[in-house]
Amino acid sequence: MTEVIGVVEEGRIKLPESVRLPEGQSVRVLLDGAWDPDQPLPPLEDEEWTEEEMRLEIEQALKQRARP
Amino acid sequence: MIVIADAGPLLHLFWVDALAWALPPQPVFVVEAVWREVSRHAPEALQDSRLQRVPLSFPVPPVLTDRRLDSGEEAALAYALTQPEGVDVLVLCDELRARRACRDLSLTVRGSVGLIIEAAQGGRVSPETARATLRDLPARGRLYVSAGVIAQALAAIDAVEGDLP
C-alpha cells in the first residue's frame, strides 16, 4: 500500500496532481484528528444572506402574485 | 419565461425535500458547469424531469468578468445573457455576489426562499409545510442564512396565508 497525503477542500479530498488513480480504485482514508459524523456540513454560499437581501427576495416573490 | 438555475437552489431545495413543489412547474435549464456541480453534491437532484441539461458552453461577456463568480454562476449568467431581447428570463440563484450581478444586469433572480414563498402562494404547498421547510434551510438545507433572517420569510408566509381563499 502506498501512502499519499491529501487535503480536504469543499468536502472533497484533493490529492497532489502527480497522483493518478485508475477508475474504480479503492482507497482507505485515515484521518488526522477526530471526526464528528454529526457535525453539520458548511453552507454552500460564500456570503451570508443579509436582512436586505431577504427583503428584496420576499418583495420579488410576493410581486409575482400581484402580476396579472 | 425561461428559467435558468444555478446550483444553489437545486441543492438547497433537494436537501430539504422541497424540489418537487418549489421548482417552477416548467422546464428549468441547467448549464453544464452547474450540472457537474450539482452532480458532485447530490446527483439524485438531477433526476427531476423539469431539469434540462444545456451541454453547450457560452462565451463569458466582459460584464461578467471581475465579479468573482464561480464557474457555475458565470456559465449560468452567460447563458441567461444569450437569450433574445423580449424573452423573460428568471435566474435561480442563492449566492449573493451572483444575485447582485443579476440585478446589475437587469436579470430577474429568485432564490430558494422566494421559490418556497411562491409555491405557497400558488397553492403547490401548504403554508405549514412552507414554514417548516424555511426553518430547515439553514441547517439541513445548507443555505447560508441565520434563523433571524429566515424569520422575515416566515412572516411573509403568514401574509400569504392571510390572502389564501
Side-chain angles (χ1 to χ4, degrees), chain A residues 2-65:
Chain A
T2 306
E3 180 176 314
V4 177
I5 304 294
V7 65
V8 175
E9 289 186 7
E10 295 183 352
R12 301 168 64 84
I13 300 172
K14 187 171 181 180
L15 299 176
E17 286 188 18
S18 58
V19 176
R20 295 280 186 266
L21 299 176
E23 192 71 13
Q25 171 75 52
S26 294
V27 296
R28 180 182 297 177
V29 178
L30 302 175
L31 300 176
D32 279 338
W35 171 46
D36 178 6
D38 295 325
Q39 185 180 24
L41 292 169
L44 279 185
E45 290 74 29
D46 294 333
E47 288 183 70
E48 185 172 2
W49 273 61
T50 61
E51 288 184 5
E52 176 60 15
E53 190 69 34
M54 185 61 75
R55 187 191 68 76
L56 290 170
E57 174 83 341
I58 293 168
E59 186 179 275
Q60 287 297 310
L62 294 179
K63 193 189 296 185
Q64 283 296 111
R65 179 67 161 179

Side-chain angles (χ1 to χ4, degrees), chain B residues 70-123:
Chain B
D70 72 23
S71 58
E73 293 155 8
E74 204 170 68
L77 267 62
Y79 180 54
L81 292 173
T82 66
Q83 302 308 309
E85 202 166 316
V87 171
D88 283 342
V89 177
L90 175 64
V91 176
L92 307 184
C93 179
D94 281 313
E95 184 65 72
L96 266 58
R97 200 174 296 127
R99 289 171 59 88
R100 286 192 287 268
C102 285
R103 286 194 288 269
D104 290 346
L105 297 167
S106 301
L107 291 170
T108 305
V109 62
R110 194 79 74 247
S112 302
V113 170
L115 290 173
I116 293 169
I117 293 173
E118 285 179 3
Q121 287 185 122

